[in-house]
Amino acid sequence: PHSDLAGQLVPGYDFIGDIDTAVDGDGRDADPNDPGDWHDGECNFFGIPEDSSWHGTHVAGTIAALTDNGAGVAGVAPNAKVLPVRALGKCGGFISDIVDGITWSSGGTVAGVPANANPAEVINMSLGGGGSCGVALQSAIDAAVARGSTIVVAAGNSGADAATEQPASCNNVINVSAVGPTGARASYSNFGPLVDVAGPGGTSAAPATDNVLSTLNLGT
């Protein structure tokens, strides 16, 4: 929860099935609140602990943080409402959860999950993993588009061709890369002919003014 997102959300869903990944002590349920993705080093090759990223909350603020309230930041679409859907947690997640999240977000049916009363006009997937787009993921995207949702995906943060990652390598999506404060491609951003548009992504390094300020805390 963040004060600059008060009243900006509609009821979402937690699609993380694996309890360790979910962190919240249970599997799929109607509570999309993020308990954090901090870990003691088990999530990276070097065993380095990391604090929570609050990435979903950060993106939600970029989209729809309250405007003219004298606090925080202003969302680019302050009259929009955010449908929060959890698909990734500690150490990442599973394509199967992402697929069901896309399906449900767009108004499709997922077994054992109540119907979504607020199908998303735009599905934002600020996430990525290695490999070309799989059949299940592409099918879910195609079905969501057929139901009327626009799918916007991250080109990826590996500094490589977007074709090497998914969902950036999927069809039927708007593929977004990142630029830094000068307008040049951010060093981490993926690139290539699959990219449709670039948006401000920041440098991912100090100072804070060279990055995208939004709704989050230090993650500790």
Side-chain angles (χ1 to χ4, degrees), residues 42-212:
E42 63 269 34
C43 295
N44 60 57
F45 179 78
F46 298 103
I48 301 171
E50 294 178 298
D51 296 328
S52 290
S53 64
W54 305 122
H55 186 63
T57 308
H58 187 289
V59 172
T62 298
I63 296 167
L66 291 169
T67 300
D68 293 331
N69 62 335
V73 296
V76 297
N79 294 324
K81 301 298 181 186
V82 172
L83 174 77
V85 175
R86 289 192 76 206
L88 300 181
K90 188 178 79 168
C91 304
F94 301 89
I95 292 290
S96 54
D97 292 343
I98 296 172
V99 163
D100 284 352
I102 294 169
T103 301
W104 186 84
S105 296
S106 61
T109 301
V110 175
V113 179
N116 174 13
N118 301 284
E121 293 182 49
V122 177
I123 295 176
N124 172 81
M125 288 197 285
S126 184
L127 53 87
S132 57
C133 188
V135 173
L137 184 56
Q138 185 64 67
S139 296
I141 289 171
D142 291 344
V145 171
R147 282 188 285 270
S149 296
T150 297
I151 314 294
V152 182
V153 306
N157 294 339
S158 303
D161 194 316
T164 62
E165 295 193 18
Q166 53 181 325
S169 56
C170 296
N171 296 319
N172 243 353
V173 301
I174 297 174
N175 197 333
V176 186
S177 65
V179 295
T182 67
R185 180 179 66 88
S187 61
Y188 55 81
S189 179
N190 286 357
F191 50 83
L194 292 183
V195 172
D196 296 300
V197 65
T203 61
S204 77
T209 50
D210 284 349
N211 293 283
V212 179

